[in-house]
Amino acid sequence: MKLGFTRSEADPNLYFKVEDEKPLILVLYVDDLFLTGANPLIHKFKREMASEFEMKDQGLEVWQKPGEIFPSQGNMW
């Protein structure tokens, strides 16, 4: 919340913020976090968190096209 996130009333593990009209959504699960949003916001968030905590980025990405979903460990496009 120190980084500007708002906690969801529907789910206490869901946080979100909007920056420059772009959403960033964070879900906490045990000792993991899942993040979705615009790439620049994701990279900014990772830098901010790494300055506060020891982190390991597993780098799983999910890319989507109409009718298709691609899990990946690297940029597909």
Side-chain angles (χ1 to χ4, degrees), residues 33 41 57-58 68:
L33 61 88
L41 296 180
D57 186 353
Q58 298 299 322
E68 300 176 287

Side-chain angles (χ1 to χ4, degrees), residues 5 12 19 24 31 34 39 57 68 76:
F5 283 85
E19 196 172 297
L24 186 60
D31 63 348
F34 302 91
N39 270 341
D57 186 353
E68 300 176 287
M76 291 189 64

Side-chain angles (χ1 to χ4, degrees), residues 28-77:
L28 300 174
Y29 181 75
V30 186
D31 63 348
D32 290 320
L33 61 88
F34 302 91
L35 192 60
T36 187
N39 270 341
L41 296 180
I42 290 173
H43 294 297
K44 178 181 175 188
F45 173 80
K46 287 180 179 181
R47 283 191 308 272
E48 291 171 338
M49 290 297 287
S51 72
E52 293 284 326
F53 304 99
E54 184 178 329
M55 291 180 39
K56 189 185 309 180
D57 186 353
Q58 298 299 322
L60 179 66
E61 298 177 359
V62 178
W63 297 91
Q64 192 172 344
K65 292 195 311 190
E68 300 176 287
I69 297 175
F70 303 93
S72 172
Q73 286 191 306
N75 191 338
M76 291 189 64
W77 315 119

